[in-house]
Every structure is written in structure tokens, then in C-alpha cells.
């Protein structure tokens, strides 16, 4: 069974760093792209970027370039999304999802990680 | 990069059919057959309902269908059921900058 399991909810202060994870199982982790999607409270889905764990090829949405870092450790089938200095505006639900080809469709999704940034 | 344009809300009665539109440009919806549709119930992760314009993943009822004409894609749900009430998002591959994928703003479907 294909599964993407994300790390738990986080509460952080502005300026703190954070790294959340997305662990894949039930399929060849290195053969699919893992994308990250942001959903701010009460808002729609936003594309953040994507990584191919097979060779770590990473692409960022212009809106998120320089704001976050996407990485992956194929030895443990896990992708990451990290911030070096959080802002209150980073408060959102973050989803990881896999796709065989960029743009084809995200066929399996993680359960989401809620990040709350508040002083 | 602007989001794809969807109506904010649509509604229909059980058994009826509804269509949700998703309008983009020749750089995204009109240029590629990489349009997807997602269903999201409150508090849940999105679920892929349609990929590559009109293909249904295994397990998605055939009441859900997708199509495209020019720069506008559409999701049609026939035989509406109460459990179809959810938010629906379209997405498309885009050749605009390094974005690669763009989402629509979402449509709230209400089953009356």
C-alpha cells in the first residue's frame, strides 16, 4: 500500500528554524517526484516546489524560491521541507504528494503537517 | 503567475449534474494535456479525481468526468450525491517561469 506519512504538528516562534518530513512507503521512492503544497487557513492550494529523490533534482515556485529548502534522503525514503527563519505568515497546513511526472497529477498525498508560527 | 480561474461556488441537488470550469492560458491549460482535479473535504488532504484532462484514477466513480476546450478545462459531476459536497481544485502544468504547476483558486460545491 502506497503511503506518505508526514511529521506531526509544530508550534514555533518567529525567527526559529524548522524541518518537516514526508516518509514514503509501498513504492519505489526514487522513481516518483515528491511535491510540496501549502494551504493557508481557509485558503486554497499553492504549489511550492518539487524534488526527484532519485537524483535530488529540485524545482521551486518563484513565490517560494529562497524562502524554503526542499531536500530528500533516499536512503530512508524521506523528503523534507525546511525554513531557516519562520514568519507568522508561514502558518499553514503543508502537504507532500507524489507524482510520476511533473504536472501529471498528485496521486497520493500525505496527511498534512500543520505549522503554527506565533510569538 | 496567477492562479487558474475557478468559480468560487457551485451548487446542485442530489441526482443533478454540475460543471466546474477552470480557465487558464495557452501557457498552461491550453498548452498541455496535464490538467488535474482534486477533491478536498474539510480537514482532509486533497484527493486526485481526474488527471491528464479526462482520466480517472482507480476507485474514482465514473460520475466524475473531465474535459478541455481551448484554455478552459471542466469537471463534470453527474448524479450528484451528498458526499460530493467538498472543495474542488484544478491544476495544470505550466511553462511559465519555473513554476511548473499552478492551481486554481478552488470551488466550493454545495449539494442542496
Amino acid at each position: 500500500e502506497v503511503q506518505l506519512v508526514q511529521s506531526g504538528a509544530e508550534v514555533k516562534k518567529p525567527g526559529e528554524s524548522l524541518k518537516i518530513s514526508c516518509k514514503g512507503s509501498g513504492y519505489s521512492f526514487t522513481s516518483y517526484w515528491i511535491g510540496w503544497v501549502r494551504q493557508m487557513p481557509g485558503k486554497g492550494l499553492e504549489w511550492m516546489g518539487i524534488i526527484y529523490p532519485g537524483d535530488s533534482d529540485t524545482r521551486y515556485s518563484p513565490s517560494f524560491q529562497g524562502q524554503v529548502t526542499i531536500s530528500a534522503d533516499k536512503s530512508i525514503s524521506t523528503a523534507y521541507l525546511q525554513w531557516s527563519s519562520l514568519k507568522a505568515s508561514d502558518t499553514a497546513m503543508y502537504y507532500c504528494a507524489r507524482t510520476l511526472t511533473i504536472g501529471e497529477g498528485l496521486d497520493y498525498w500525505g496527511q498534512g503537517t500543520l505549522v503554527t508560527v506565533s510569538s | 503567475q496567477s492562479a487558474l480561474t475557478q468559480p468560487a461556488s457551485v451548487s446542485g441537488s442530489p441526482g443533478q449534474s454540475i460543471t466546474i470550469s477552470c480557465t487558464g492560458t495557452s501557457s498552461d491549460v491550453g498548452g498541455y494535456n496535464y490538467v488535474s482535479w482534486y477533491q478536498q473535504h474539510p480537514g482532509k488532504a486533497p484527493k486526485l479525481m481526474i488527471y491528464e484532462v479526462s482520466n480517472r484514477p482507480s476507485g474514482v466513480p465514473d460520475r466524475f468526468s473531465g474535459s478541455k476546450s481551448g484554455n478552459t478545462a471542466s469537471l463534470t459531476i453527474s448524479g450528484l450525491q451528498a458526499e460530493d459536497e467538498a472543495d474542488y481544485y484544478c491544476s495544470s502544468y505550466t511553462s511559465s517561469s519555473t513554476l511548473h504547476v499552478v492551481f486554481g483558486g478552488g470551488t466550493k460545491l454545495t449539494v442542496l
Side-chain angles (χ1 to χ4, degrees):
Chain A
E1 178 195 8
V2 174
Q3 282 192 307
L4 292 173
V5 178
Q6 298 185 229
S7 49
E10 302 274 2
V11 179
K12 293 288 189 179
K13 290 181 166 40
E16 292 187 330
S17 63
L18 176 63
K19 191 173 189 177
I20 63 175
S21 65
C22 169
K23 182 174 176 60
S25 62
Y27 72 100
S28 175
F29 187 72
T30 54
S31 299
Y32 286 77
W33 294 81
I34 294 287
W36 287 93
V37 176
R38 182 175 79 174
Q39 188 167 38
M40 299 178 77
K43 302 298 183 182
L45 306 176
E46 297 175 88
W47 180 258
M48 300 180 71
I50 195 166
I51 187 166
Y52 190 73
D55 61 7
S56 293
D57 184 4
T58 308
R59 323 278 178 88
Y60 293 94
S61 159
S63 298
F64 293 92
Q65 178 83 48
Q67 308 304 308
V68 298
T69 301
I70 294 170
S71 60
D73 184 340
K74 61 184 179 182
S75 69
I76 55 171
S77 300
T78 301
Y80 302 97
L81 178 65
Q82 69 180 88
W83 296 259
S84 59
S85 181
L86 286 160
K87 300 183 281 287
S89 57
D90 293 318
T91 294
M93 182 70 82
Y94 293 88
Y95 294 101
C96 66
R98 75 163 201 179
T99 181
L100 192 58
T101 304
I102 297 177
E104 183 179 73
L106 299 161
D107 62 353
Y108 283 89
W109 291 65
Q111 81 277 20
T113 295
L114 180 62
V115 174
T116 302
V117 183
S118 174
S119 54
Chain B
Q1 173 70 32
S2 300
L4 306 176
T5 300
Q6 298 180 231
S9 62
V10 298
S11 62
S13 299
Q16 288 186 331
S17 295
I18 63 94
T19 297
I20 300 171
S21 62
C22 170
T23 302
T25 68
S26 58
S27 296
D28 39 64
V29 174
Y32 306 92
N33 286 325
Y34 275 161
V35 176
S36 304
W37 289 91
Y38 301 90
Q39 176 192 66
Q40 186 179 34
H41 286 110
K44 300 294 188 181
K47 175 186 176 183
L48 180 66
M49 304 303 283
I50 297 288
Y51 67 98
E52 292 178 355
V53 177
S54 60
N55 295 311
R56 278 187 311 276
S58 174
V60 173
D62 60 6
R63 303 185 295 104
F64 291 83
S65 62
S67 62
K68 189 183 82 167
S69 178
N71 295 337
T72 298
S74 298
L75 172 71
T76 297
I77 309 173
S78 58
L80 267 180
Q81 298 182 4
E83 61 260 36
D84 298 334
E85 184 163 297
D87 293 323
Y88 290 84
Y89 295 90
C90 62
S91 77
S92 173
Y93 177 84
T94 175
S95 58
S96 177
S97 71
T98 59
L99 183 56
H100 296 108
V101 174
V102 62
F103 283 103
T107 298
K108 170 66 178 176
L109 169 61
T110 300
V111 180
L112 302 170

